Amino acid sequence: QCSRLRGLQKLNLSMNCLCSLPPALSALDNLVVLNLWGNNLSSLPPEIGLLKKLRVLFACRNRLSEVPEELGSCTCLEVLSLANNQISALPSSLAAMHNLTKLNLSHNRIVHIPTCVYSMKGLVFLHLACNRLETIADQIQDLVNLKILIVEGNSIHTLPKTLCFLESLELLNVDFNALQSVPVEMYLLSRLGRLACHPLDKGLHIIHNPLLKPIQEVLQGGLSALYNYLKPT
């Protein structure tokens, strides 16, 4: 039946209790948007790599423990959500996704940010909340277009100074981690603007961390007080 729908550009299969996808899905080679949200998928078929025009893929709230290498062939992808799964790693082939602007990997089992992510130079939005991260690699500086970085609810104990070179960063959420201090270069993140409380507010989110004095005390004066404290005299 899929061959009759070859002109289809948008397909919504969300909330259908699907346990698998038919390989015939690859016949829908004009698909631009595919929504698989809220099913019981334990895997994606390798044929998904044949959807060369795909720009948006929602596969959140499934049972995925891995992603097929073939997905890296979907180089037109701009938005990819794999949130709320059981993923611990991504294949290196995804490094070819240079058009990706939004990547949501929140609520998974990721211990290290996958290396391929640092090659996604077009990323503007990166969501990694509620994983098992302990560190962020120095390569984070390669994501020069990043405006929003959310790593809330992990076990991160230190931030690399290279994070502070992301001049476009407007929202940085490190709430609920294990940070005791921040890099002295943080004052370079001039677009953060303020300390933020509401999840959608731009700025620096840094509550519920075991920050040491005097950082904790300085923060009571707001972000500008912190920046003045960190700036070299």
Side-chain angles (χ1 to χ4, degrees):
Q1 298 297 319
C2 286
S3 60
R4 297 181 183 180
L5 302 171
R6 287 197 67 169
L8 198 66
Q9 292 189 330
K10 296 181 180 180
L11 179 59
N12 187 349
L13 296 173
S14 63
M15 302 293 289
N16 272 297
C17 299
L18 296 175
C19 294
S20 63
L21 294 176
L25 186 72
S26 62
L28 305 178
D29 50 12
N30 283 300
L31 268 188
V32 175
V33 178
L34 177 58
N35 188 351
L36 303 171
W37 182 87
N39 282 288
N40 294 318
L41 300 173
S42 57
S43 64
L44 298 175
E47 289 82 5
I48 200 166
L50 298 174
L51 304 179
K52 303 292 187 183
K53 297 181 181 179
L54 202 60
R55 292 184 184 178
V56 178
L57 174 59
F58 295 117
C60 38
R61 293 197 181 276
N62 279 281
R63 298 179 179 177
L64 302 176
S65 58
E66 58 183 10
V67 177
E69 284 193 20
E70 290 80 2
L71 184 62
S73 298
C74 299
T75 54
C76 289
L77 266 180
E78 298 172 5
V79 178
L80 174 59
S81 179
L82 297 167
N84 294 90
N85 279 287
Q86 301 164 22
I87 295 168
S88 59
L90 294 177
S92 58
S93 60
L94 269 57
M97 291 184 174
H98 299 304
N99 291 306
L100 205 63
T101 60
K102 296 182 180 180
L103 176 61
N104 190 342
L105 296 170
S106 63
H107 295 86
N108 275 288
R109 300 176 178 178
I110 298 170
V111 177
H112 303 287
I113 298 177
T115 304
C116 62
V117 171
Y118 299 119
S119 296
M120 300 172 180
K121 303 296 174 61
L123 278 185
V124 174
F125 173 94
L126 178 57
H127 199 340
L128 285 157
C130 301
N131 275 282
R132 300 174 181 179
L133 299 176
E134 295 184 1
T135 58
I136 297 175
D138 287 342
Q139 295 100 300
I140 193 73
Q141 68 179 331
D142 295 340
L143 302 181
V144 293
N145 293 301
L146 206 58
K147 291 184 177 180
I148 298 176
L149 175 60
I150 303 172
V151 290
E152 174 186 10
N154 282 281
S155 300
I156 298 170
H157 50 78
T158 183
L159 296 174
K161 70 176 183 179
T162 55
L163 176 65
C164 305
F165 303 153
L166 298 178
E167 297 178 357
S168 297
L169 213 56
E170 298 175 356
L171 190 160
L172 173 59
N173 190 335
V174 293
D175 286 349
F176 295 95
N177 274 283
L179 296 174
Q180 293 189 340
S181 62
V182 295
V184 295
E185 294 85 1
M186 183 165 272
Y187 71 89
L188 297 171
L189 296 175
S190 57
R191 293 196 181 187
L192 289 185
R194 60 172 177 168
L195 289 179
C197 296
H198 189 279
L200 298 180
D201 284 349
K202 292 181 179 179
L204 174 63
H205 301 248
I206 196 169
I207 62 170
H208 296 288
N209 280 281
L211 294 167
L212 298 176
K213 296 178 180 181
I215 295 292
Q216 183 68 58
E217 295 172 343
V218 168
L219 276 172
Q220 294 175 7
L223 191 63
S224 58
L226 175 65
Y227 282 2
N228 287 332
Y229 173 76
L230 295 173
K231 280 182 182 177
T233 54

